[in-house]
Amino acid sequence: MRFSTLSAISLGAALAAASDVVDLTGSSFQEFTQQNPLTLVEFFAPWCGHCKALAPHYEEAATILKKDNVPIAKVDCTVETELCSSMGVNGYPCAPPFPAVSDLEGVPTRRGGRIRQALPAVSEVTTANHNEFKSADKVVIIAYVDESDEATKTTFNNFADLYRDDYLFGLSTEPAVAAVANVKAPAVVLYKTFDEGRNELDGKITDDSLFLFAKEHSVPLLDEISPDNFAMYAEAGIPLAYIFVESSNPKREQIVKAIEPIAREHKGKINFVWIDANKFADHAKSLNLVEPTWPAFAIQNIQQMTKFPLSQSKSVDHDTVSAFVADFVAGKISPSIKSQKVPAVQDEPVFVLVADEFDKVVAEDKDLLVEFYAPWCGHCKKLKPIYDTLGERFSNVKSKVTIAKFDATENDVPASAGFKVQGFPTIKFKAAGSSEWISYEGDRSLDSFVEFLEANATHDLATPDDLEAELEGESKVKSERHDELRTRAI
Ligand SMILES: *[C@@H]1O[C@H](CO)[C@@H](O)[C@H](O)[C@H]1NC(C)=O
């Protein structure tokens, strides 16, 4: 579902006194959506600026759509972490400051979603609607074909079926329309509201040529990124470079223009966008940039969840960015890893693990349990007393096991971990001497944790450190004596 569609619904209706938006939780979600298969669900986080901006529109839309029996619901992903991650809504560290939007197929949908699914994939274009149709969306693809050219029609229709969520498609068989468009059938033209405004497909019209043509020309050289187009960039499979600048900055256009040649040089390899630094400061923060030093620049590898912020002591100008991007492409820049300071003393019941110490702690010959949490996460708060007790429970075997917590909002999980944290809390275990992380999937009771650790630990966790030391001491003494005897015997 596309939210701009919702927010654009004309708002004649009076504001509802009570909210018509249904709050769903992990326990009510399934039953509700089974009973109401056409539910629109917003997965949100209370701290997300765009979610806040959307809220009033969402309320109004809910009131309007209620009459058509289309319920609108919302899920607070900071509380319902399991539900959200099971729905493919990525929380931290991707943390898009945009509401993740999902239809009920379990995958966050791209723009269009169900509403566009309900329209025919290809609209008929005539002299009467041609002008209007070609500017009806950001990207509109129109085929101009002869009435008798069934082969081209089929190729185009099949392509449109596959990509109906991404682009608006039209087809015209009127020679007069082709004439107005200044093409000779068969031809395909991509109309867009940005850059050069129009591209014509060269050569034969095939599945492949349509695919490459649409892909190459549908992404603007350097557009503003927003909730509407975020998914497109996230799914593009190439790194995304951001210019963070306030939309109110009088020099914004100038700053963005200066970067355009760099975007052109890397077209198809890195996407470039600008983003409103005020509205999406949280996103900047997730890329390890700090407020409010704007403009700022960062590259994000969305697939690998790595980030490469340009030092904020540098100015965002053509030469600086060009050199930085060249170094990035050459693999000369290491991803930025955010970390809290290594604690001077560990005085909490559980070990406070930070990114800078991650590899060192992981390399120790100890069994290791780590809770990756966010301070705002409800389930994490609930777990805290139990987890603290767990830490105390094993405090007499600290030489053999580490019970740790890792604040994943203030620390990046280093790439060396080999996994990504996508929901909170994420609890992982690594046995001493093993390099494999196991996800803790048991229930979050003290007994289950203890049972899990005792069963899966390499070390014997039942023997306390002091007793162990004594035993070790004894055996050392024994073996020394043994040596003595042997020496004598010789
Ligand atoms: C030990 O770890 C495995 C996962 O590798 C898990 O399935 C099992 O339940 C754990 N044992 C106990 C007793 O919790």
mmCIF file of all heavy atoms in Angstrom, residues 194-238:
data_model
loop_
_atom_site.group_PDB
_atom_site.id
_atom_site.type_symbol
_atom_site.label_atom_id
_atom_site.label_comp_id
_atom_site.label_asym_id
_atom_site.label_seq_id
_atom_site.Cartn_x
_atom_site.Cartn_y
_atom_site.Cartn_z
ATOM 1 N N PHE A 194 11.480 13.810 -14.025
ATOM 2 C CA PHE A 194 12.782 14.308 -13.591
ATOM 3 C C PHE A 194 13.781 14.184 -14.736
ATOM 4 O O PHE A 194 13.468 13.617 -15.784
ATOM 5 C CB PHE A 194 13.263 13.515 -12.370
ATOM 6 C CG PHE A 194 13.175 12.027 -12.552
ATOM 7 C CD1 PHE A 194 14.215 11.327 -13.137
ATOM 8 C CD2 PHE A 194 12.036 11.337 -12.161
ATOM 9 C CE1 PHE A 194 14.138 9.959 -13.324
ATOM 10 C CE2 PHE A 194 11.950 9.955 -12.337
ATOM 11 C CZ PHE A 194 12.997 9.267 -12.926
ATOM 12 N N ASP A 195 14.969 14.700 -14.485
ATOM 13 C CA ASP A 195 16.069 14.642 -15.453
ATOM 14 C C ASP A 195 15.610 15.018 -16.860
ATOM 15 O O ASP A 195 14.932 16.016 -17.031
ATOM 16 C CB ASP A 195 16.762 13.278 -15.423
ATOM 17 C CG ASP A 195 17.371 12.982 -14.049
ATOM 18 O OD1 ASP A 195 17.470 13.936 -13.248
ATOM 19 O OD2 ASP A 195 17.724 11.833 -13.772
ATOM 20 N N GLU A 196 15.944 14.192 -17.854
ATOM 21 C CA GLU A 196 15.637 14.607 -19.221
ATOM 22 C C GLU A 196 14.151 14.449 -19.582
ATOM 23 O O GLU A 196 13.738 14.866 -20.674
ATOM 24 C CB GLU A 196 16.556 13.905 -20.229
ATOM 25 C CG GLU A 196 16.473 12.396 -20.296
ATOM 26 C CD GLU A 196 17.283 11.671 -19.213
ATOM 27 O OE1 GLU A 196 17.683 12.296 -18.224
ATOM 28 O OE2 GLU A 196 17.472 10.454 -19.346
ATOM 29 N N GLY A 197 13.364 13.854 -18.694
ATOM 30 C CA GLY A 197 11.916 13.838 -18.899
ATOM 31 C C GLY A 197 11.380 12.743 -19.811
ATOM 32 O O GLY A 197 10.216 12.351 -19.703
ATOM 33 N N ARG A 198 12.234 12.254 -20.711
ATOM 34 C CA ARG A 198 11.730 11.302 -21.700
ATOM 35 C C ARG A 198 12.887 10.484 -22.267
ATOM 36 O O ARG A 198 13.965 11.029 -22.543
ATOM 37 C CB ARG A 198 11.070 12.107 -22.827
ATOM 38 C CG ARG A 198 10.577 11.289 -23.983
ATOM 39 C CD ARG A 198 10.268 12.191 -25.174
ATOM 40 N NE ARG A 198 10.415 11.378 -26.377
ATOM 41 C CZ ARG A 198 9.425 11.111 -27.219
ATOM 42 N NH1 ARG A 198 8.250 11.651 -27.043
ATOM 43 N NH2 ARG A 198 9.633 10.309 -28.239
ATOM 44 N N ASN A 199 12.683 9.160 -22.402
ATOM 45 C CA ASN A 199 13.684 8.319 -23.065
ATOM 46 C C ASN A 199 12.970 7.379 -24.019
ATOM 47 O O ASN A 199 11.889 6.889 -23.722
ATOM 48 C CB ASN A 199 14.459 7.468 -22.041
ATOM 49 C CG ASN A 199 15.104 8.299 -20.954
ATOM 50 O OD1 ASN A 199 14.553 8.451 -19.860
ATOM 51 N ND2 ASN A 199 16.234 8.876 -21.249
ATOM 52 N N GLU A 200 13.623 7.139 -25.148
ATOM 53 C CA GLU A 200 13.044 6.228 -26.131
ATOM 54 C C GLU A 200 13.866 4.955 -26.172
ATOM 55 O O GLU A 200 15.096 5.009 -26.131
ATOM 56 C CB GLU A 200 13.117 6.915 -27.498
ATOM 57 C CG GLU A 200 11.787 6.966 -28.202
ATOM 58 C CD GLU A 200 11.907 7.719 -29.523
ATOM 59 O OE1 GLU A 200 11.941 8.966 -29.459
ATOM 60 O OE2 GLU A 200 11.990 7.075 -30.588
ATOM 61 N N LEU A 201 13.196 3.823 -26.233
ATOM 62 C CA LEU A 201 13.911 2.542 -26.315
ATOM 63 C C LEU A 201 14.519 2.385 -27.703
ATOM 64 O O LEU A 201 13.810 2.480 -28.711
ATOM 65 C CB LEU A 201 12.947 1.391 -26.000
ATOM 66 C CG LEU A 201 13.471 -0.037 -26.184
ATOM 67 C CD1 LEU A 201 14.603 -0.331 -25.212
ATOM 68 C CD2 LEU A 201 12.355 -1.045 -25.970
ATOM 69 N N ASP A 202 15.837 2.127 -27.713
ATOM 70 C CA ASP A 202 16.529 1.887 -28.986
ATOM 71 C C ASP A 202 16.468 0.405 -29.300
ATOM 72 O O ASP A 202 16.588 -0.409 -28.412
ATOM 73 C CB ASP A 202 18.024 2.243 -28.859
ATOM 74 C CG ASP A 202 18.252 3.718 -29.007
ATOM 75 O OD1 ASP A 202 17.392 4.380 -29.626
ATOM 76 O OD2 ASP A 202 19.267 4.216 -28.479
ATOM 77 N N GLY A 203 16.333 0.084 -30.550
ATOM 78 C CA GLY A 203 16.447 -1.316 -30.957
ATOM 79 C C GLY A 203 15.185 -2.122 -30.722
ATOM 80 O O GLY A 203 14.094 -1.569 -30.541
ATOM 81 N N LYS A 204 15.383 -3.431 -30.724
ATOM 82 C CA LYS A 204 14.246 -4.347 -30.647
ATOM 83 C C LYS A 204 13.549 -4.338 -29.287
ATOM 84 O O LYS A 204 14.196 -4.148 -28.258
ATOM 85 C CB LYS A 204 14.734 -5.777 -30.918
ATOM 86 C CG LYS A 204 14.668 -6.165 -32.389
ATOM 87 C CD LYS A 204 15.109 -7.606 -32.579
ATOM 88 C CE LYS A 204 13.990 -8.555 -32.193
ATOM 89 N NZ LYS A 204 13.491 -9.352 -33.285
ATOM 90 N N ILE A 205 12.241 -4.563 -29.315
ATOM 91 C CA ILE A 205 11.489 -4.625 -28.062
ATOM 92 C C ILE A 205 11.408 -6.076 -27.591
ATOM 93 O O ILE A 205 10.677 -6.881 -28.152
ATOM 94 C CB ILE A 205 10.068 -4.039 -28.261
ATOM 95 C CG1 ILE A 205 10.191 -2.566 -28.678
ATOM 96 C CG2 ILE A 205 9.244 -4.171 -26.988
ATOM 97 C CD1 ILE A 205 8.910 -1.987 -29.239
ATOM 98 N N THR A 206 12.224 -6.398 -26.589
ATOM 99 C CA THR A 206 12.219 -7.759 -26.039
ATOM 100 C C THR A 206 12.105 -7.658 -24.517
ATOM 101 O O THR A 206 12.204 -6.562 -23.955
ATOM 102 C CB THR A 206 13.550 -8.484 -26.346
ATOM 103 O OG1 THR A 206 14.604 -7.774 -25.669
ATOM 104 C CG2 THR A 206 13.848 -8.509 -27.842
ATOM 105 N N ASP A 207 11.944 -8.802 -23.853
ATOM 106 C CA ASP A 207 11.898 -8.818 -22.379
ATOM 107 C C ASP A 207 13.139 -8.128 -21.819
ATOM 108 O O ASP A 207 13.063 -7.283 -20.935
ATOM 109 C CB ASP A 207 11.937 -10.260 -21.839
ATOM 110 C CG ASP A 207 10.711 -11.035 -22.231
ATOM 111 O OD1 ASP A 207 9.767 -10.413 -22.761
ATOM 112 O OD2 ASP A 207 10.704 -12.271 -22.022
ATOM 113 N N ASP A 208 14.288 -8.552 -22.346
ATOM 114 C CA ASP A 208 15.554 -8.037 -21.823
ATOM 115 C C ASP A 208 15.732 -6.552 -22.084
ATOM 116 O O ASP A 208 16.146 -5.798 -21.207
ATOM 117 C CB ASP A 208 16.739 -8.793 -22.446
ATOM 118 C CG ASP A 208 16.850 -10.181 -21.879
ATOM 119 O OD1 ASP A 208 16.150 -10.456 -20.872
ATOM 120 O OD2 ASP A 208 17.606 -10.992 -22.442
ATOM 121 N N SER A 209 15.431 -6.148 -23.313
ATOM 122 C CA SER A 209 15.658 -4.737 -23.624
ATOM 123 C C SER A 209 14.704 -3.858 -22.817
ATOM 124 O O SER A 209 15.084 -2.782 -22.352
ATOM 125 C CB SER A 209 15.539 -4.474 -25.130
ATOM 126 O OG SER A 209 14.194 -4.579 -25.552
ATOM 127 N N LEU A 210 13.493 -4.315 -22.588
ATOM 128 C CA LEU A 210 12.551 -3.547 -21.771
ATOM 129 C C LEU A 210 13.057 -3.429 -20.336
ATOM 130 O O LEU A 210 13.023 -2.361 -19.725
ATOM 131 C CB LEU A 210 11.168 -4.220 -21.774
ATOM 132 C CG LEU A 210 10.295 -3.968 -23.000
ATOM 133 C CD1 LEU A 210 9.087 -4.908 -22.995
ATOM 134 C CD2 LEU A 210 9.828 -2.515 -23.066
ATOM 135 N N PHE A 211 13.554 -4.539 -19.833
ATOM 136 C CA PHE A 211 14.038 -4.562 -18.450
ATOM 137 C C PHE A 211 15.199 -3.576 -18.257
ATOM 138 O O PHE A 211 15.193 -2.751 -17.350
ATOM 139 C CB PHE A 211 14.476 -5.981 -18.087
ATOM 140 C CG PHE A 211 15.133 -6.080 -16.750
ATOM 141 C CD1 PHE A 211 14.374 -6.085 -15.582
ATOM 142 C CD2 PHE A 211 16.518 -6.149 -16.636
ATOM 143 C CE1 PHE A 211 14.969 -6.156 -14.344
ATOM 144 C CE2 PHE A 211 17.129 -6.219 -15.395
ATOM 145 C CZ PHE A 211 16.349 -6.231 -14.246
ATOM 146 N N LEU A 212 16.185 -3.675 -19.155
ATOM 147 C CA LEU A 212 17.363 -2.808 -19.025
ATOM 148 C C LEU A 212 17.000 -1.345 -19.238
ATOM 149 O O LEU A 212 17.483 -0.452 -18.532
ATOM 150 C CB LEU A 212 18.449 -3.242 -20.019
ATOM 151 C CG LEU A 212 19.045 -4.621 -19.738
ATOM 152 C CD1 LEU A 212 19.994 -5.038 -20.856
ATOM 153 C CD2 LEU A 212 19.769 -4.631 -18.388
ATOM 154 N N PHE A 213 16.147 -1.123 -20.192
ATOM 155 C CA PHE A 213 15.696 0.231 -20.503
ATOM 156 C C PHE A 213 15.006 0.863 -19.293
ATOM 157 O O PHE A 213 15.327 1.986 -18.872
ATOM 158 C CB PHE A 213 14.741 0.146 -21.705
ATOM 159 C CG PHE A 213 14.019 1.415 -22.030
ATOM 160 C CD1 PHE A 213 14.693 2.510 -22.568
ATOM 161 C CD2 PHE A 213 12.638 1.522 -21.837
ATOM 162 C CE1 PHE A 213 14.020 3.671 -22.891
ATOM 163 C CE2 PHE A 213 11.960 2.677 -22.162
ATOM 164 C CZ PHE A 213 12.644 3.761 -22.678
ATOM 165 N N ALA A 214 14.077 0.126 -18.707
ATOM 166 C CA ALA A 214 13.330 0.662 -17.561
ATOM 167 C C ALA A 214 14.272 0.889 -16.376
ATOM 168 O O ALA A 214 14.205 1.914 -15.704
ATOM 169 C CB ALA A 214 12.204 -0.295 -17.170
ATOM 170 N N LYS A 215 15.156 -0.053 -16.152
ATOM 171 C CA LYS A 215 16.054 0.040 -15.004
ATOM 172 C C LYS A 215 17.002 1.238 -15.147
ATOM 173 O O LYS A 215 17.215 1.988 -14.208
ATOM 174 C CB LYS A 215 16.856 -1.261 -14.884
ATOM 175 C CG LYS A 215 17.555 -1.393 -13.569
ATOM 176 C CD LYS A 215 17.655 -2.846 -13.133
ATOM 177 C CE LYS A 215 18.324 -2.956 -11.777
ATOM 178 N NZ LYS A 215 17.426 -2.947 -10.656
ATOM 179 N N GLU A 216 17.529 1.395 -16.336
ATOM 180 C CA GLU A 216 18.500 2.468 -16.535
ATOM 181 C C GLU A 216 17.875 3.856 -16.409
ATOM 182 O O GLU A 216 18.467 4.767 -15.852
ATOM 183 C CB GLU A 216 19.169 2.317 -17.908
ATOM 184 C CG GLU A 216 20.150 3.453 -18.156
ATOM 185 C CD GLU A 216 20.900 3.332 -19.461
ATOM 186 O OE1 GLU A 216 20.788 2.276 -20.126
ATOM 187 O OE2 GLU A 216 21.575 4.313 -19.819
ATOM 188 N N HIS A 217 16.667 3.992 -16.921
ATOM 189 C CA HIS A 217 16.124 5.348 -17.027
ATOM 190 C C HIS A 217 15.132 5.744 -15.942
ATOM 191 O O HIS A 217 14.716 6.888 -15.876
ATOM 192 C CB HIS A 217 15.494 5.536 -18.400
ATOM 193 C CG HIS A 217 16.497 5.436 -19.506
ATOM 194 N ND1 HIS A 217 17.498 6.365 -19.666
ATOM 195 C CD2 HIS A 217 16.681 4.497 -20.474
ATOM 196 C CE1 HIS A 217 18.251 6.018 -20.700
ATOM 197 N NE2 HIS A 217 17.784 4.884 -21.199
ATOM 198 N N SER A 218 14.742 4.789 -15.087
ATOM 199 C CA SER A 218 13.689 5.123 -14.135
ATOM 200 C C SER A 218 14.228 5.706 -12.837
ATOM 201 O O SER A 218 13.468 6.228 -12.031
ATOM 202 C CB SER A 218 12.843 3.886 -13.837
ATOM 203 O OG SER A 218 13.665 2.877 -13.321
ATOM 204 N N VAL A 219 15.528 5.562 -12.614
ATOM 205 C CA VAL A 219 16.093 6.112 -11.384
ATOM 206 C C VAL A 219 16.681 7.487 -11.688
ATOM 207 O O VAL A 219 17.549 7.622 -12.535
ATOM 208 C CB VAL A 219 17.191 5.185 -10.813
ATOM 209 C CG1 VAL A 219 17.778 5.774 -9.542
ATOM 210 C CG2 VAL A 219 16.625 3.805 -10.549
ATOM 211 N N PRO A 220 16.223 8.488 -10.992
ATOM 212 C CA PRO A 220 16.737 9.832 -11.263
ATOM 213 C C PRO A 220 18.223 9.921 -10.928
ATOM 214 O O PRO A 220 18.714 9.194 -10.055
ATOM 215 C CB PRO A 220 15.943 10.725 -10.316
ATOM 216 C CG PRO A 220 14.785 9.919 -9.869
ATOM 217 C CD PRO A 220 15.186 8.489 -9.956
ATOM 218 N N LEU A 221 18.892 10.785 -11.619
ATOM 219 C CA LEU A 221 20.325 10.958 -11.395
ATOM 220 C C LEU A 221 20.598 11.353 -9.949
ATOM 221 O O LEU A 221 21.476 10.815 -9.302
ATOM 222 C CB LEU A 221 20.861 12.025 -12.351
ATOM 223 C CG LEU A 221 22.363 12.184 -12.376
ATOM 224 C CD1 LEU A 221 23.028 10.880 -12.794
ATOM 225 C CD2 LEU A 221 22.748 13.306 -13.315
ATOM 226 N N LEU A 222 19.826 12.313 -9.448
ATOM 227 C CA LEU A 222 20.052 12.739 -8.067
ATOM 228 C C LEU A 222 18.757 13.343 -7.536
ATOM 229 O O LEU A 222 18.527 14.533 -7.622
ATOM 230 C CB LEU A 222 21.204 13.754 -7.999
ATOM 231 C CG LEU A 222 22.005 13.757 -6.690
ATOM 232 C CD1 LEU A 222 23.281 14.536 -6.817
ATOM 233 C CD2 LEU A 222 21.200 14.196 -5.501
ATOM 234 N N ASP A 223 17.930 12.477 -7.007
ATOM 235 C CA ASP A 223 16.592 12.864 -6.570
ATOM 236 C C ASP A 223 16.593 13.052 -5.050
ATOM 237 O O ASP A 223 17.520 12.641 -4.368
ATOM 238 C CB ASP A 223 15.631 11.719 -6.934
ATOM 239 C CG ASP A 223 14.180 12.150 -6.927
ATOM 240 O OD1 ASP A 223 13.908 13.360 -6.778
ATOM 241 O OD2 ASP A 223 13.317 11.271 -7.077
ATOM 242 N N GLU A 224 15.522 13.613 -4.556
ATOM 243 C CA GLU A 224 15.322 13.611 -3.106
ATOM 244 C C GLU A 224 14.807 12.228 -2.712
ATOM 245 O O GLU A 224 13.938 11.678 -3.394
ATOM 246 C CB GLU A 224 14.288 14.671 -2.693
ATOM 247 C CG GLU A 224 14.051 14.645 -1.192
ATOM 248 C CD GLU A 224 13.047 15.691 -0.709
ATOM 249 O OE1 GLU A 224 12.402 16.326 -1.565
ATOM 250 O OE2 GLU A 224 12.915 15.857 0.512
ATOM 251 N N ILE A 225 15.341 11.663 -1.648
ATOM 252 C CA ILE A 225 14.820 10.377 -1.187
ATOM 253 C C ILE A 225 13.787 10.638 -0.105
ATOM 254 O O ILE A 225 13.933 11.564 0.700
ATOM 255 C CB ILE A 225 15.947 9.437 -0.689
ATOM 256 C CG1 ILE A 225 15.409 8.008 -0.538
ATOM 257 C CG2 ILE A 225 16.580 9.918 0.599
ATOM 258 C CD1 ILE A 225 16.494 6.954 -0.373
ATOM 259 N N SER A 226 12.726 9.856 -0.130
ATOM 260 C CA SER A 226 11.614 10.046 0.795
ATOM 261 C C SER A 226 10.968 8.686 1.011
ATOM 262 O O SER A 226 11.341 7.714 0.367
ATOM 263 C CB SER A 226 10.617 11.020 0.180
ATOM 264 O OG SER A 226 9.936 10.360 -0.873
ATOM 265 N N PRO A 227 9.993 8.614 1.889
ATOM 266 C CA PRO A 227 9.340 7.319 2.105
ATOM 267 C C PRO A 227 8.763 6.720 0.816
ATOM 268 O O PRO A 227 8.695 5.514 0.672
ATOM 269 C CB PRO A 227 8.231 7.653 3.098
ATOM 270 C CG PRO A 227 8.736 8.842 3.822
ATOM 271 C CD PRO A 227 9.510 9.632 2.818
ATOM 272 N N ASP A 228 8.352 7.573 -0.120
ATOM 273 C CA ASP A 228 7.760 7.076 -1.354
ATOM 274 C C ASP A 228 8.728 6.277 -2.219
ATOM 275 O O ASP A 228 8.345 5.351 -2.900
ATOM 276 C CB ASP A 228 7.257 8.256 -2.209
ATOM 277 C CG ASP A 228 5.831 8.607 -1.845
ATOM 278 O OD1 ASP A 228 5.220 7.822 -1.078
ATOM 279 O OD2 ASP A 228 5.352 9.653 -2.306
ATOM 280 N N ASN A 229 9.979 6.686 -2.228
ATOM 281 C CA ASN A 229 10.904 6.026 -3.151
ATOM 282 C C ASN A 229 12.023 5.264 -2.446
ATOM 283 O O ASN A 229 12.902 4.707 -3.087
ATOM 284 C CB ASN A 229 11.494 7.040 -4.149
ATOM 285 C CG ASN A 229 12.246 8.170 -3.455
ATOM 286 O OD1 ASN A 229 12.426 8.147 -2.239
ATOM 287 N ND2 ASN A 229 12.676 9.152 -4.224
ATOM 288 N N PHE A 230 11.984 5.224 -1.122
ATOM 289 C CA PHE A 230 13.056 4.563 -0.384
ATOM 290 C C PHE A 230 13.211 3.100 -0.793
ATOM 291 O O PHE A 230 14.324 2.619 -1.000
ATOM 292 C CB PHE A 230 12.818 4.662 1.119
ATOM 293 C CG PHE A 230 13.905 4.042 1.937
ATOM 294 C CD1 PHE A 230 15.129 4.670 2.062
ATOM 295 C CD2 PHE A 230 13.721 2.820 2.567
ATOM 296 C CE1 PHE A 230 16.154 4.095 2.801
ATOM 297 C CE2 PHE A 230 14.740 2.235 3.313
ATOM 298 C CZ PHE A 230 15.951 2.874 3.427
ATOM 299 N N ALA A 231 12.076 2.409 -0.925
ATOM 300 C CA ALA A 231 12.130 0.976 -1.236
ATOM 301 C C ALA A 231 12.841 0.723 -2.556
ATOM 302 O O ALA A 231 13.604 -0.226 -2.689
ATOM 303 C CB ALA A 231 10.723 0.395 -1.267
ATOM 304 N N MET A 232 12.593 1.595 -3.527
ATOM 305 C CA MET A 232 13.221 1.417 -4.836
ATOM 306 C C MET A 232 14.754 1.436 -4.701
ATOM 307 O O MET A 232 15.446 0.602 -5.280
ATOM 308 C CB MET A 232 12.757 2.528 -5.777
ATOM 309 C CG MET A 232 13.449 2.509 -7.118
ATOM 310 S SD MET A 232 12.942 3.915 -8.117
ATOM 311 C CE MET A 232 13.974 5.209 -7.461
ATOM 312 N N TYR A 233 15.261 2.376 -3.917
ATOM 313 C CA TYR A 233 16.711 2.462 -3.740
ATOM 314 C C TYR A 233 17.226 1.286 -2.909
ATOM 315 O O TYR A 233 18.297 0.749 -3.170
ATOM 316 C CB TYR A 233 17.091 3.782 -3.067
ATOM 317 C CG TYR A 233 16.928 4.972 -3.978
ATOM 318 C CD1 TYR A 233 15.848 5.835 -3.853
ATOM 319 C CD2 TYR A 233 17.852 5.219 -4.984
ATOM 320 C CE1 TYR A 233 15.697 6.926 -4.697
ATOM 321 C CE2 TYR A 233 17.717 6.304 -5.835
ATOM 322 C CZ TYR A 233 16.624 7.157 -5.677
ATOM 323 O OH TYR A 233 16.487 8.216 -6.523
ATOM 324 N N ALA A 234 16.431 0.905 -1.904
ATOM 325 C CA ALA A 234 16.855 -0.183 -1.031
ATOM 326 C C ALA A 234 16.959 -1.488 -1.820
ATOM 327 O O ALA A 234 17.782 -2.340 -1.529
ATOM 328 C CB ALA A 234 15.886 -0.334 0.131
ATOM 329 N N GLU A 235 16.108 -1.627 -2.833
ATOM 330 C CA GLU A 235 16.080 -2.874 -3.590
ATOM 331 C C GLU A 235 16.971 -2.831 -4.825
ATOM 332 O O GLU A 235 17.065 -3.811 -5.561
ATOM 333 C CB GLU A 235 14.634 -3.174 -4.024
ATOM 334 C CG GLU A 235 13.766 -3.608 -2.858
ATOM 335 C CD GLU A 235 12.279 -3.536 -3.161
ATOM 336 O OE1 GLU A 235 11.938 -3.436 -4.363
ATOM 337 O OE2 GLU A 235 11.493 -3.582 -2.218
ATOM 338 N N ALA A 236 17.604 -1.695 -5.056
ATOM 339 C CA ALA A 236 18.370 -1.552 -6.297
ATOM 340 C C ALA A 236 19.620 -2.433 -6.325
ATOM 341 O O ALA A 236 20.158 -2.728 -7.383
ATOM 342 C CB ALA A 236 18.758 -0.096 -6.514
ATOM 343 N N GLY A 237 20.077 -2.856 -5.159
ATOM 344 C CA GLY A 237 21.211 -3.760 -5.113
ATOM 345 C C GLY A 237 22.563 -3.086 -5.307
ATOM 346 O O GLY A 237 23.566 -3.763 -5.486
ATOM 347 N N ILE A 238 22.606 -1.768 -5.305
ATOM 348 C CA ILE A 238 23.882 -1.061 -5.395
ATOM 349 C C ILE A 238 23.957 -0.043 -4.247
ATOM 350 O O ILE A 238 22.929 0.320 -3.676
ATOM 351 C CB ILE A 238 24.073 -0.351 -6.765
ATOM 352 C CG1 ILE A 238 22.934 0.644 -7.042
ATOM 353 C CG2 ILE A 238 24.184 -1.374 -7.890
ATOM 354 C CD1 ILE A 238 23.118 1.417 -8.345
#
